[in-house]
Amino acid sequence: MISNQKNFLKTKSFPNLNPYHVINIHSREYLVASTEVGRLVDTLSSENDLLWPHQFWPRMKFDKPLSVSANGGHGPIRYFVEEYVPGKRIVFRFTGPNGFDGYHGYDVFVLENNKTELRETLKIKTHGMAQLSWPLIFRPLHDALIEDSLCFAELRLNLTPKVSEWSWWVKFLRWAISGGKSRPQKIA
């Protein structure tokens, strides 16, 4: 019996464990063609950015137009464009803050004719101080920012926005980080 177990362990392939500690996904479905949703993604970081909620959050900026290898980020979050398929997908690889190893990005999925999903996915492995700063500071702010982004998409697509109101913790963090000068959430 023991020799059978040894053979089993030698020949059995075990699945690769997920290297990411954090998988954070936000998505919304819109009753519009995928090309309309993809058009919003393609405006990210431009002067006419229709997706990023820069009215409330630090603007997404890059050192060149949206393309693979563009470096930038928003506020203290730094990244570069790792993958870009216009109208379909964009992936940003984190370079800062320290302790955030992974990526985030938007994907446009065709569900049916004139029904599209816009999904934002963040996958990171945290280490060092990020193991504390992610759940206490960055996750609540990230969640609020991305929900605002998806809401802005609804507005730009002439749909009724489903507003996810900021939690008291997000309001407090924004107040503390801005030195008491944060703007209230007002989506219109």
Side-chain angles (χ1 to χ4, degrees):
M1 185 73 161
I2 291 177
S3 64
N4 286 343
Q5 287 178 339
K6 285 182 183 177
N7 287 338
F8 173 77
L9 292 175
K10 285 181 185 175
T11 59
K12 179 70 174 169
S13 63
F14 292 95
N16 187 15
L17 298 176
N18 187 338
Y20 300 105
H21 294 217
V22 176
I23 299 174
N24 181 287
I25 297 171
H26 296 259
S27 73
R28 299 235 181 131
E29 293 179 6
Y30 307 112
L31 295 176
V32 298
S34 64
T35 54
E36 292 183 54
V37 177
R39 181 179 51 84
L40 300 179
V41 173
D42 292 342
T43 68
L44 279 169
S45 80
S46 71
E47 287 297 317
N48 188 34
D49 190 330
L50 299 173
L51 184 59
W52 197 257
H54 51 82
Q55 295 85 341
F56 309 127
W57 301 96
R59 185 178 276 280
M60 181 184 283
K61 296 179 184 177
F62 290 102
D63 61 353
K64 60 183 177 179
L66 200 60
S67 59
V68 172
S69 80
N71 284 296
H74 61 279
I77 311 301
R78 312 314 304 157
Y79 41 80
F80 65 91
V81 178
E82 181 174 75
E83 180 182 350
Y84 180 43
V85 180
K88 305 260 185 232
R89 175 177 174 82
I90 188 151
V91 177
F92 307 102
R93 176 67 56 177
F94 289 111
T95 58
N98 289 333
F100 288 75
D101 297 331
Y103 67 90
H104 81 101
Y106 287 94
D107 287 290
V108 177
F109 297 105
V110 177
L111 301 177
E112 297 172 13
N113 190 23
N114 290 324
K115 186 174 183 183
T116 305
E117 177 186 358
L118 178 58
R119 182 185 306 162
E120 194 276 347
T121 302
L122 175 142
K123 290 185 178 184
I124 57 173
K125 181 177 183 178
T126 59
H127 55 87
M129 287 303 296
Q131 291 178 319
L132 198 55
S133 65
W134 167 254
L136 294 178
I137 300 168
F138 289 103
R139 180 182 178 169
L141 293 173
H142 168 80
D143 289 349
L145 184 155
I146 297 303
E147 286 298 316
D148 285 351
S149 172
L150 297 175
C151 185
F152 270 59
E154 288 168 324
L155 277 174
R156 302 304 191 258
L157 296 167
N158 295 315
L159 302 171
T160 303
K162 296 177 200 97
V163 179
S164 296
E165 296 211 17
W166 295 339
S167 69
W168 67 269
W169 184 244
V170 167
K171 291 175 186 176
F172 170 76
L173 288 172
R174 288 174 51 81
W175 174 84
I177 291 167
S178 71
K181 298 176 184 171
S182 65
R183 290 169 283 188
Q185 182 186 33
K186 184 178 177 185
I187 297 178

